[in-house]
Amino acid sequence: MKKFFDKNREHFINASLILVFLVIGFIGYELYNAPGENLEAKFIYLLKTYGYVILFIWSIMEGETGLVMAGVMSHTGDMNLVLSIIVAALGGFTGDQIYFYIGRFNKKYIHKQLISQRRKFALAHLLLKKYGWPVIFIQRYMYGLRTVLPMAIGLTRYSAKKFALINLVSAFVWASVTIIPSYIFGEEILNIVNWAKHHWYIALPIAVIIGGGLYYYFHKATEK
């Protein structure tokens, strides 16, 4: 398996890039042709029509924003709460499995291409050695290490079956604790979004300050 992957690495990478561009192109085409008077109306229509597909892809990239969106849309009745949790969990599970097997079957390429991330890989190995399987369970909440940790674990001799089992349970917990509160407080979230839309000159600086502060904190924490 490893030899087959090494031999066809470029084909896999090219095929993945083509698939990504096709998905982006399809979404762009559907957004352009969607009914609606403005971009916001078109985007809402797209979410209602392809909500589960978008949620699955978004979850592969492990973005909580997509899960909050699913929770709010479940609150408004445009999506189903249980199905949203299942789709998001499977997407998150798929994403981490991809990263894990990239590490498992592509060790030389990772060491060569991600040399700038070597400090994070070293930290990931130390965390796994010190704390064991709980690191796999909580790695989705470790910003700055979310993609590095699965790849770093793949580089080790850690059991692929054990990783998959822990990853699956973790993905369902992650999806549930993000989507369910968004479902419960859906009305409040919609009110905040509506306020931000009409007071963007206040909301935008606040978002930049909060986002920048979080990035700085996690960057320093990881560096330390």
Side-chain angles (χ1 to χ4, degrees), residues 80 139 202:
N80 178 271
Q139 55 89 14
I202 300 176

Side-chain angles (χ1 to χ4, degrees), residues 18-35:
I18 291 172
L19 181 61
V20 170
F21 283 121
L22 285 174
V23 171
I24 294 174
F26 174 76
I27 293 175
Y29 175 80
E30 290 295 318
L31 182 62
Y32 177 78
N33 290 286

Side-chain angles (χ1 to χ4, degrees), residues 49-98:
T49 306
Y50 299 105
Y52 296 110
V53 176
I54 295 173
L55 176 61
F56 181 79
I57 296 173
W58 211 317
S59 300
I60 290 178
M61 299 182 289
E62 298 197 47
E64 278 77 11
T65 307
L67 276 66
V68 172
M69 172 201 74
V72 173
M73 292 186 69
S74 297
H75 175 84
T76 59
D78 295 304
M79 295 178 70
N80 178 271
L81 177 63
V82 175
L83 187 56
S84 295
I85 293 174
I86 294 173
V87 171
L90 292 178
F93 170 78
T94 300
D96 280 352
Q97 289 300 118
I98 291 173

Side-chain angles (χ1 to χ4, degrees), residues 125-145:
H125 283 139
L126 287 173
L127 290 172
L128 180 65
K129 185 176 181 179
K130 185 175 182 179
Y131 299 106
W133 68 265
V135 172
I136 301 173
F137 193 84
I138 66 170
Q139 55 89 14
R140 285 182 171 81
Y141 313 99
M142 302 174 69
Y143 292 88
L145 294 173

